[in-house]
Amino acid sequence: MTLRAEYAFDLPVAPKEAFAWLSDPARDPEWQSACVDTRLLNGAARPGCRYEITFQLIGKKMTFTVEITEFEPGRRSRFHVVDGPFGYTGTYDYTERADGTTGVHWTFDVEPGDFFGIMPKSLLKKVLVSQVKKDSGKLAERLAQPAHHRS
């Protein structure tokens, strides 16, 4: 069974800068609180790039090998699991707002199988959306700072 979680949020930067933050796996630990570590396996982020990512979520540590399948700067990024405890596909779609900021639509299709035990799928979806809501809010606050304070 596939579960879809989605959330829309705004970032106070142009789409190319939003894309640079959200679509580079090496930056995930900087803004995703559940992300423990990432390691690029075959070069910089681009279509076909694979990376290893480790999360700590709901008391479980999980490591996945993920491949970037779409990488259109300022427009769209998409990735999917090639190896891990369960499968997922994630997408970020970017829209430039009239004021130059970026609207981001995040979707996450996950096939958790029995990994989370008897946890209801509706609770898992709520946890995923809550995490992205919190992390994207912190990233928006960070990006609202002058550029020399962001790094």
Side-chain angles (χ1 to χ4, degrees), residues 7 106 124-136:
Y7 182 68
W106 166 81
L124 176 58
K125 179 178 179 176
K126 188 177 273 190
V127 167
L128 292 169
V129 170
S130 174
Q131 192 69 51
V132 169
K133 185 176 185 178
K134 188 176 2 172
D135 290 343
S136 64

Side-chain angles (χ1 to χ4, degrees), residues 22 31-32 75-77 79 90-94 104-106:
L22 299 176
W31 70 275
Q32 292 183 32
R75 296 196 53 213
R76 179 175 238 233
S77 54
F79 49 90
T91 306
Y92 292 104
D93 285 304
Y94 307 85
V104 181
H105 185 243
W106 166 81

Side-chain angles (χ1 to χ4, degrees), residues 28-83:
D28 286 356
E30 294 180 52
W31 70 275
Q32 292 183 32
S33 58
C35 183
V36 176
D37 187 47
T38 58
R39 185 170 59 95
L40 296 173
L41 300 175
N42 62 342
R46 67 189 186 309
C49 170
R50 288 191 176 195
Y51 59 97
E52 187 174 272
I53 188 164
T54 302
F55 296 104
Q56 180 78 39
L57 187 66
I58 316 171
K60 293 183 177 271
K61 195 170 189 177
M62 308 164 267
T63 299
F64 301 87
T65 301
V66 180
E67 181 176 0
I68 296 173
T69 56
E70 293 181 52
F71 196 80
E72 299 174 47
R75 296 196 53 213
R76 179 175 238 233
S77 54
R78 188 176 182 97
F79 49 90
H80 73 97
V81 168
V82 293
D83 187 44

